Structures are given as structure tokens and as C-alpha cells.
Amino acid sequence: MSHMPSLALGLCLAALSLPAMAQEGSALSPRVVNEAAVPAVMARAVDDFIIPGYRNLSDKTALLTKASAALCEVPSAASQEKAQEAFSDLVQAWSTVEIIRLGPALEQNRFERFLFYPDRKSTGLKQVQAILAKGDETATDVASLKGKSVAAQGLGALEYVLYGNGSDVLASKDGDFRCRYGVAISQNLDAIANEFLAEWQKPEGIQAAWKKPGPGNPQFRDSKEAATELLGIFVHGVEMVKDQRLKPFYAGTVDGKQDKGHPKSAIYWRSENTMPSIAANFRGLHTLFKVADMESLLPNDSRSVAGSADFVFKSVIGISQTIDGPIGEAIADDKSRAKLDFLTLNTADLLDRLNKDFGGAIGLGAGFSFADGD
């Protein structure tokens, strides 16, 4: 992989040469969404990405619950490793669909209960450590755990149980309490995943609102509102990766000074899932972009906007997948840091392509910015 930094630079220069192509036809047709295409795009987003994504999430939480229970039943290094593998598989499934931060995800604190992040003041970490130190039995029952702080019942808490200080105790009977707490978290995650899926599968629920925009629809009064919501997923998703996933642990070079990095501020740093989760975030966004056929929302003479976004999606996914191992080691390595610089630059570029170029091409450009939350 020693050729990757030069490849990254080449891809970066190629990506930066695309805006002219993305602007094609900007004076040739009205900047409006292709309203006739919207219902089909929304339907594909639901049927071909959101529901299958949550179904996969539910499958992975079920497997994690099984692996966690097996660890408690027969504690060993091997069963601990299997539980850790199931955790990493779940992180991949979640990172693919966590971009859908709306509807059922916002109800009943489901999103925060599944993943409390960022934990800027280490509030969640302290709560999890206190539960483990005190042997708080109420944390081992999924019903009472659900009533505790969101920070003590989701992926972050489980990562600490499986990988944090003292986690080696899980390989023996001495880890019984810690293990049972992990099982309760797994069961809680499984329940939430099943709620996500059930809410989206209801025929007259949110999927009906997505598939039939119109005057009688409480969510989307017209196709433009529906298209705005869908494009917002991409803009906010890329913005989330840029500001909440990459920036906390590595800001790149600012004013000629290179950031030394903050590896313990990275999500999933203990389990080495930082970059795999970021790659999955981008893959989820790219898959949704393709399967929903976002290109069909554009005026015919602006279709190149989708092509340029697709190019940058492939670039950031490709580079994300080549940065592995402990995130601290990646920051300290010149070649990996060059990849992180490339990734940071192109994530910002992708945000502009979606927010300004795509949004502008469907009439959401003037005075409108998803990035500002408008």
C-alpha cells in the first residue's frame, strides 16, 4: 500500500478538477427539482435502503445478544473474541444507517440510546465506570437499564465493557457482572433496532408519508419538501463525518501547523472501529444515493452534478478503507496522515457538491443551506 499517498494526491487533484463539469448547464434550464421523479425516488430510498438497512441492523443486534450470552455462559478468550467480532459487525451495520437521523430515530431518544456520541465531558464514560465499580445490578436488567442515562445503555457503553480497562476479566468467571451488564446493553440495542424496523415497516406510518408527498401529507406537502428532506440526509450525513467523526481526532494542517491528533477523541478508538465506521458511513450514503437514483431529481442538463458527487464518494470510501489499525498509530504515520489529509479535504469537497451544487441544481441554492440546518 506504499503507493497510496501518491494515488490519494492524484485522486484529490482529479476531484478538485470536477467543479467545472458539475456546473454544466447552470444557465440552460430552471433550477427546479424534477417533481415527477420524487415519489419513486422516495419509495426506493425506503424499500431498497432504509428498511433493508434496519433489517440488517436487527439481525446484527440479535447475533450480538447471542454472542454476549454465550460469553457469560462459557467465559474464555475465544468467546470474548466472538462477542467483540459481533460488536464490530454491529458497528458496521449501525454506521450504514445512522445517517437516517429522522423520524423513528428521533422518537423516544432512540438514536442517543443506541449511540451517545460525542461524549465531550466523558459523562457517559464515568457513568459506565461507576456501574462497573459498584456492581450496580439494576444495569444488568434490560428494563431498568432502559431507564438509565442514554450514555450507559448503547454502543459506547458496550465498547467499554468489551474493550475498556479491566475487560480482560471477561475471559473468566470473575467477569460475571461485567458480562451480564454487556448482555443487558445488547438486549437493549436489539429492542431499539427492532423498533426502528417496525416503525418503518408500518404501511401507513412514515413510509407512507415518504412515498406519497402531497397536500394531505402531514410531513411533505409537496415533492420539493420531500426532496429537500432526502437531500438533507446526504448533506447532514457528510457534515456529521466531517465535524463529528474526523475533526475531533485530526484536524489536518491549519495555518501551516499540523494537528498532532487526539486519538482518544475518536469514536470507537478502543475497538479500532474508527475508520471502518467512517467508511461504512460513506458507503451507506453512497448506496442510498445510487439505489434511490438521486440523479433523476436533477434537470437533464445538470446530471453531471450527480456524476461528480459519485466520483468523490468513491474516492472517500476507497481511502477510508485503507486506513486501519489503532487510530493513534495512523495519526503518527506519515503515509496514513497523508491519507487522512486527503480524506478531510475531499469530505469538505463532497459536502459542497451536495449542499451547493446538487441543492442549487434543484432550486435549493439561493439563501438555502442544509449545513446551517435551514
Side-chain angles (χ1 to χ4, degrees):
M1 285 298 184
S2 60
H3 65 289
M4 279 310 301
S6 58
L7 174 58
L9 180 60
L11 283 171
C12 186
L13 292 174
L16 293 175
S17 71
L18 283 169
M21 181 179 75
Q23 310 281 327
E24 252 178 44
S26 59
L28 299 180
S29 67
R31 307 293 86 195
V32 294
V33 65
N34 177 6
E35 295 200 30
V38 172
V41 168
M42 300 296 284
R44 285 191 292 266
V46 172
D47 294 337
D48 299 339
F49 179 79
I50 297 175
I51 290 177
Y54 281 132
R55 189 175 293 123
N56 181 49
L57 185 72
S58 177
D59 290 345
K60 294 298 186 290
T61 52
L63 290 171
L64 173 66
T65 302
K66 188 176 179 181
S68 298
L71 171 60
C72 296
E73 195 173 322
V74 185
S76 68
S79 55
Q80 183 176 359
E81 187 177 334
K82 286 183 179 178
Q84 290 174 333
E85 287 173 0
F87 173 84
S88 293
D89 288 345
L90 174 56
V91 167
Q92 283 288 295
W94 168 250
S95 299
T96 303
V97 294
E98 73 169 311
I99 58 172
I100 309 298
R101 196 165 185 170
L102 45 79
L106 300 183
E107 297 163 1
Q108 301 176 24
N109 287 331
R110 288 190 185 103
F111 190 98
E112 286 74 17
R113 288 171 55 219
F114 209 98
L115 175 64
F116 176 74
Y117 183 87
D119 184 10
R120 291 188 177 91
K121 296 182 179 178
S122 298
T123 306
L125 174 62
K126 291 171 186 172
Q127 290 173 350
V128 172
Q129 289 172 330
I131 286 170
L132 292 170
K134 295 173 184 175
D136 179 2
E137 285 293 339
T138 62
T140 65
D141 177 72
V142 69
S144 51
L145 178 64
K146 184 179 177 180
K148 290 187 179 294
S149 161
V150 294
Q153 57 176 288
L155 285 173
L158 185 57
E159 184 188 36
Y160 190 84
V161 168
L162 291 172
Y163 297 89
N165 291 339
S167 58
D168 52 340
V169 76
L170 290 171
S172 70
K173 282 292 183 185
D174 294 337
D176 177 65
F177 172 79
R178 188 175 187 130
C179 193
R180 287 186 292 114
Y181 175 32
V183 169
I185 299 172
S186 301
Q187 291 171 336
N188 184 56
L189 292 169
D190 190 44
I192 299 168
N194 289 333
E195 288 171 14
F196 280 133
L197 182 59
E199 289 298 317
W200 277 98
Q201 284 184 324
K202 286 179 184 174
E204 298 307 315
I206 187 171
Q207 67 159 282
W210 271 51
K211 293 177 179 181
K212 300 170 186 173
N217 187 324
Q219 275 197 269
F220 307 123
R221 291 166 297 179
D222 56 38
S223 289
K224 185 173 181 179
E225 286 189 0
T228 300
E229 178 90 330
L230 187 55
L231 182 56
I233 289 175
F234 296 97
V235 173
H236 291 307
V238 175
E239 187 181 36
M240 180 269 291
V241 174
K242 173 178 167 285
D243 294 337
Q244 293 185 13
R245 297 296 188 265
L246 291 168
K247 194 174 181 180
F249 76 84
Y250 183 68
T253 302
V254 181
D255 298 327
K257 294 182 180 179
Q258 192 170 58
D259 183 17
K260 293 180 181 178
H262 314 276
K264 290 187 179 180
S265 294
I267 193 169
Y268 309 125
W269 67 268
R270 289 182 176 86
S271 60
E272 296 182 17
N273 276 304
T274 302
M275 293 312 301
S277 72
I278 288 172
N281 289 148
F282 281 129
R283 277 198 305 273
L285 288 162
H286 188 228
T287 300
L288 176 57
F289 194 82
K290 299 296 283 186
V291 300
D293 191 14
M294 291 295 289
E295 183 177 336
S296 67
L297 298 179
L298 295 162
N300 286 334
D301 56 9
S302 298
R303 294 294 175 93
S304 60
V305 170
S308 63
D310 182 63
F311 179 92
V312 186
F313 264 127
K314 290 175 180 175
S315 297
V316 293
I317 292 167
I319 205 75
S320 298
Q321 293 175 157
T322 69
I323 306 170
D324 50 23
I327 200 64
E329 291 181 11
I331 297 170
D333 178 74
D334 288 345
K335 292 178 180 178
S336 293
R337 207 164 49 244
K339 296 177 186 179
L340 287 170
D341 286 335
F342 167 84
L343 181 59
T344 300
L345 183 65
N346 279 267
T347 299
D349 180 46
L350 181 59
L351 182 59
D352 275 348
R353 292 182 186 284
L354 295 166
N355 190 33
K356 296 177 182 177
D357 296 352
F358 202 111
I362 61 174
L364 301 177
F368 188 96
S369 174
F370 291 101
D372 292 337
D374 291 353

